[in-house]
Amino acid sequence: MRAAVVSGTGSPDVALHAVREQPSMTGAALAGRVSTPEPYVHNTDGAARVAVVDYGAKRSIMQRLAGAGASVTVYPHDVDADTLADFDGVLLSNGPGDPEPLTGEVAVVAELLGRVPVLGICLGHQLLALATGLETFKLPFGHHGANHPVLERATKRVLVTSQNHGFAVAPTADRAATHESLYDGTIEGLSYPELSARSVQFHPEAGPGPHDAWSILADWVEEVRLAAA
């Protein structure tokens, strides 16, 4: 939501004009503004070789992957599918903005599916959704904070999660949908076993918390390691 903070004698009219001049988040392709410009190696020691596609990745994701036993190389948002397919697994990171204008990134995800295990987080979750034919939309206020309840459909377990996003995957009864928000029914998780791909809308590295989804990254790294063995 566009807004301004005005102090003391600030003019509401000037502030309102400034707010109206700001572009809408809808249609804003922002990943390229925050992605690394060049590939880099985060760490080399690990039993599973993981590529992270940086759409605005949090450092804690790379740290958690390394801690779980993966060697991690980070690539820009516009990396090609063939480069990523050389790794044991690919993580699609979080990032800002609207996923729909990221048509090139969605095409790469679609091309990658079935070739290498994929895990999407936040924006990465939304890109996987678009690549598999689901829809995304702008939330009225977004999901922000560390207290968001998410239902795991298969077990009926409720996870308290950390979230920070303004767009979401539209509610669906598709069998691929594994998690849903208990606030508004938006899709918080996807799984495509036949493609070795899955995703979550929330932040499982839980920096700083809560830790209900703490095991997701470590479990995925172990699955990637076993698949590559």
Side-chain angles (χ1 to χ4, degrees):
M1 174 170 285
R2 295 175 292 174
V5 177
V6 182
S7 64
T9 59
S11 166
D13 290 337
V14 172
L16 185 59
H17 176 74
V19 169
R20 287 174 172 164
E21 288 295 307
Q22 293 297 312
S24 171
M25 285 291 286
T26 301
L30 302 180
R33 301 187 189 181
V34 295
S35 176
T36 179
E38 300 291 339
Y40 67 91
V41 176
H42 178 271
N43 65 294
T44 57
D45 52 325
R49 297 171 57 251
V50 170
V52 173
V53 186
D54 177 14
Y55 307 118
K58 295 164 67 179
R59 290 190 186 94
S60 51
I61 291 175
M62 279 76 86
Q63 292 165 353
R64 284 280 291 128
L65 289 172
S71 63
V72 179
T73 303
V74 183
Y75 283 92
H77 69 105
D78 55 357
V79 62
D80 62 273
D82 288 341
T83 298
L84 297 173
D86 283 338
F87 285 80
D88 298 330
V90 176
L91 187 140
L92 312 173
S93 85
N94 62 291
D98 188 343
E100 287 195 11
L102 302 178
T103 54
E105 289 85 346
V106 171
V108 167
V109 173
E111 186 180 346
L112 198 62
L113 294 178
R115 300 173 65 184
V116 63
V118 170
L119 175 65
I121 294 176
C122 196
L123 180 61
H125 161 72
Q126 297 162 13
L127 296 178
L128 177 63
L130 292 173
T132 54
L134 300 180
E135 296 181 354
T136 61
F137 70 103
K138 187 180 183 300
L139 292 162
F141 304 107
H143 293 172
H144 307 284
N147 59 348
H148 290 259
V150 172
L151 175 67
E152 188 175 64
R153 286 179 170 178
T155 65
K156 305 303 181 184
R157 179 187 177 202
V158 175
L159 309 177
V160 180
T161 67
S162 178
Q163 303 195 14
N164 186 27
H165 58 101
F167 294 81
V169 178
T172 178
D174 192 298
R175 64 180 180 83
T178 57
H179 298 71
E180 65 180 80
S181 168
L182 290 182
Y183 284 152
D184 54 20
T186 53
I187 298 304
E188 296 268 350
L190 296 167
S191 179
Y192 298 93
E194 69 281 7
L195 299 174
S196 297
R198 65 176 184 267
S199 62
V200 290
Q201 179 65 75
F202 45 90
H203 293 259
E205 87 288 354
H211 292 158
D212 286 9
W214 181 256
S215 65
I216 288 176
L217 282 175
D219 290 347
W220 181 72
V221 169
E222 179 63 8
E223 290 173 16
V224 168
R225 184 190 69 79
L226 293 173

